[in-house]
Amino acid sequence: MKVTNRMNIIKNIELDIPDDIGRDFLTKLMGGRLIPQMEKMLEDKKGICIDALEPAAVYGKFDISSIEGDFVHFKSGHIFNGPNISKILEGSDTAVIFIFTLGKKIDDLVNKERDSGNTLGTIILDAITTSMLGPLGDHVNKTIKDSIPVKKGYGTTCTYSPGQYKWTIEEQKEIFKMVDGSKIGVRLNESFLMIPFKSISGIYGFGPEDKINKTRVACDLCPRENCIGRR
């Protein structure tokens, strides 16, 4: 798969993992209350998850040539299609496209627990590792923004990912044409889902503060108010 822009890879990432990682996600999943068994398992399995972490990221910067209707055209020749991606990138003249992952060992850990038949343990591990994507995303986005010179008066949009509201998961194909996920061990399966599963891809734009979209987070575009992932 050909990638047409210079890529930047981030490895050897040391994450600051909160002591209560996974608690909020699991509490929402369980309807607002955790039983003592879950509390203990959260604490027991947190260290196992931390030991399995192999966080890494890859990203590239792309110039936008035009935004026409639902289509975002890049000078590289790539095109994104979707009403919200065109809305979010409106006013931006460049964009950063990224992929980051917790690594294969995390998937192996969750799959082994699932194969053992321990449903509760699987739910706990999934809650912890899903929550770990937040600190990793914060670290990656800070690293990217610190590494890219930003013109005076410029700002960044919120991030947006394929699979979020009105941006189809099939758009992952274009993401992976632009940024080579294999450099950090991430690939797409036949359903356009990333393997390892605990991985995220996305984009955000750079442009003049008075022109870029001011949407705070992509959740603001989505009407699903009771979504467990809402921020």
Side-chain angles (χ1 to χ4, degrees), residues 195-216:
I195 305 297
F197 186 66
K198 299 300 181 183
S199 305
I200 289 180
S201 66
I203 184 171
Y204 56 87
F206 287 87
E209 283 278 8
D210 59 345
K211 293 182 179 180
I212 60 173
N213 187 283
K214 296 300 194 297
T215 299
R216 183 180 58 88

Side-chain angles (χ1 to χ4, degrees), residues 116-127:
S116 74
N118 187 346
T119 302
L120 181 56
T122 303
I123 292 171
I124 299 291
L125 286 177
D126 186 63

Side-chain angles (χ1 to χ4, degrees), residues 89-106:
L89 291 179
E90 183 179 359
S92 298
D93 53 32
T94 59
V96 167
I97 299 171
F98 61 83
I99 301 167
F100 62 79
T101 183
L102 296 180
K104 182 179 181 296
K105 287 183 180 179
I106 289 291

